[in-house]
Amino acid sequence: MQTKDKPQINWKTKLNPQQYHILREKGTEHAFTGKYVHNKKNGMYHCAGCGAVLFSSDTKFDSGTGWPSFSDPVTTKNIVLNDDDTHGMHRIEVLCKNCSGHLGHVFDDGSTHSGKRYCINSCALKFEEKS
Ligand SMILES: [Zn+2]
């Protein structure tokens, strides 16, 4: 019998181990190790899990923290913000709305117009350069 449920995505085969750890197990890559920390090319950052467009190079700034940082998402419709009280602190977790993948956290200390700093793991992103 056919079920109407969406087929379960096997993330372990779709993602590499580091991507899996971050997107599905809410891990964090080590500071300054991500491939997009110093990426200054023009383009869009997509979810590494499902391809949803999340951030634009237009909003990327150098926060000095060691993770790709953005002042705003491309659209708030593609992300979900969740209270995260793990590790003895209160933070706001940023998730991909489409696949529920963990992306990073958002902080209120951005040195930008929005005052926000979306601190996102490189491993959770897939960059597509604008041609
Ligand atoms: Zn996604």
Side-chain angles (χ1 to χ4, degrees):
M1 213 166 82
Q2 292 282 321
T3 77
K4 283 186 184 153
D5 291 335
K6 267 201 252 175
Q8 275 280 318
I9 298 167
N10 188 345
W11 291 110
K12 281 210 163 145
T13 59
K14 194 171 159 64
L15 302 171
N16 70 36
Q18 203 180 10
Q19 288 174 325
Y20 183 86
H21 176 59
I22 288 162
L23 285 162
R24 311 313 311 179
E25 299 178 330
K26 303 185 191 296
T28 302
E29 70 198 12
H30 293 293
F32 298 105
T33 62
K35 61 181 167 180
Y36 297 135
V37 176
H38 298 297
N39 185 18
K40 291 192 166 58
K41 291 177 183 166
N42 284 325
M44 302 301 272
Y45 293 85
H46 298 254
C47 174
C50 71
V53 62
L54 300 173
F55 296 96
S56 160
S57 58
D58 294 344
T59 63
K60 191 172 187 290
F61 68 102
D62 184 4
S63 65
T65 58
W67 291 276
S69 301
F70 302 88
S71 60
D72 304 278
V74 169
T75 164
T76 52
K77 287 185 191 140
N78 287 1
I79 60 164
V80 176
L81 301 180
N82 256 347
D83 286 319
D84 174 8
D85 291 312
T86 59
H87 302 293
M89 47 189 155
H90 177 75
R91 296 180 296 174
I92 308 291
E93 181 189 11
V94 185
L95 297 144
C96 172
K97 190 168 194 173
N98 186 43
C99 72
S100 305
H102 172 84
L103 305 170
H105 291 89
V106 57
F107 301 94
D108 287 324
D109 59 5
S111 56
T112 59
H113 72 98
S114 70
K116 301 283 183 196
R117 172 168 61 89
Y118 287 82
C119 183
I120 306 298
N121 292 288
S122 296
C123 283
L125 298 171
K126 193 165 140 284
F127 179 69
E128 274 180 26
E129 196 171 352
K130 235 181 254 171
S131 52

